[in-house]
Amino acid sequence: MPRLSPTALAALSFIAAASLAHAQGPRGGQDANGDGVVSAQEFEDAAKARFQRLDANHDGVIDAQELAAIQQRMEARRAEHPEAGKGGGGSAALSAMDADHDGKITEAEALAAAKARFAALDTDKNGELSQAELPARRGPPN
């Protein structure tokens, strides 16, 4: 099994944190019913949809090949939108998502990380993310 390069790991970390685990305002299908809050189910459904988009070969894991493609898209997006900044989650975000530390992210791992992120954001523990609980939006829309 090939090991991931540090660059690929950094790309996965950023993508995983930004695309699968962050709620950056109701966008990308997170607020599916348009009521201005994101429910736990909406958050999970959006994370699942993002994972399925990133899993290009639909084998249930985001692997080294898919990471390389993700990295290329990110670099192109950063070149088009340099004002968006870099952001990112670092190795801690990857470690949190890659529960078995095999260098790949499964859908189950991604969803577990999304559920944990939702729980952390839901400060009043009512099962919904209000506008006040959602992090400020960064970068261009997905």
Side-chain angles (χ1 to χ4, degrees):
M1 170 180 314
R3 301 292 295 170
L4 298 177
S5 72
T7 303
L9 287 173
L12 175 60
S13 180
F14 177 77
I15 286 292
S19 295
L20 299 173
H22 277 203
Q24 296 178 352
R27 66 178 185 171
Q30 285 181 323
D31 183 15
N33 64 6
D35 65 356
V37 298
V38 177
S39 71
Q41 188 62 54
E42 287 172 321
F43 194 88
E44 184 176 337
D45 290 347
K48 188 178 291 190
R50 280 187 210 91
F51 180 88
Q52 290 169 353
R53 268 196 329 267
L54 295 173
D55 180 16
N57 64 3
H58 306 291
D59 67 350
V61 298
I62 299 172
D63 59 25
Q65 243 181 345
E66 289 158 331
L67 288 173
I70 291 165
Q71 183 178 5
Q72 288 175 345
R73 288 193 305 267
M74 286 175 48
E75 288 171 359
R77 187 176 294 163
R78 276 195 296 265
E80 291 174 17
H81 303 280
E83 73 284 358
K86 292 194 177 179
S91 61
L94 175 61
S95 294
M97 294 188 93
D98 185 12
D100 61 6
H101 306 290
D102 65 353
K104 299 182 285 187
I105 304 297
T106 65
E107 184 173 14
E109 288 171 324
L111 292 179
K115 287 178 183 180
R117 178 68 174 154
F118 183 91
L121 291 170
D122 185 16
T123 56
D124 62 9
K125 305 303 178 203
N126 70 347
E128 298 178 328
L129 300 180
S130 66
Q131 292 296 318
E133 291 171 311
L134 291 167
R137 233 176 122 154
R138 292 186 311 217
N142 291 339

